[in-house]
Amino acid sequence: ALRHLEAVLTLRPQRAERFERLADLLRQSGRGDEVIPALRRYAAADTTNLPLQAVLGAELARLPATRPAADEHFSRVGTLSN
């Protein structure tokens, strides 16, 4: 399922659910430490994809260690939505 989803994500979908599913699948497969790096790769390739940027920010906010990065991320994303 993960391999098929990653193929879909290369098409740059504009729905947050696809990226949320990626995070869920990575966690379910014991690869939770790969969630943020994977989302960062997709976000770097598609900087104007607001749903993707929101999912990345939410994932950053999940962990106390990355909450400051989440604040910075949401500040940058806020400028995209204007």
Side-chain angles (χ1 to χ4, degrees):
L2 186 56
R3 184 175 46 206
H4 294 291
L5 179 58
E6 288 173 335
V8 169
L9 295 179
T10 63
L11 301 174
R12 299 180 176 183
Q14 297 295 309
R15 295 185 56 190
E17 293 84 4
R18 306 282 188 199
F19 298 101
E20 291 167 341
R21 181 73 176 139
L22 172 66
D24 290 340
L25 286 174
L26 286 171
R27 278 193 281 277
Q28 289 172 14
S29 64
R31 297 166 51 192
D33 59 331
E34 295 178 34
V35 171
I36 291 174
L39 289 172
R40 281 185 169 151
R41 281 191 304 277
Y42 288 111
D46 194 2
T47 59
T48 60
N49 186 331
L50 292 178
L52 165 57
Q53 300 296 334
V55 172
L56 173 56
E59 289 296 328
L60 289 167
R62 287 172 58 98
L63 302 172
T66 55
R67 284 191 187 132
D71 292 339
E72 291 176 29
H73 180 76
F74 280 122
S75 292
R76 283 192 308 273
V77 171
T79 63
L80 292 175
S81 63
N82 292 330

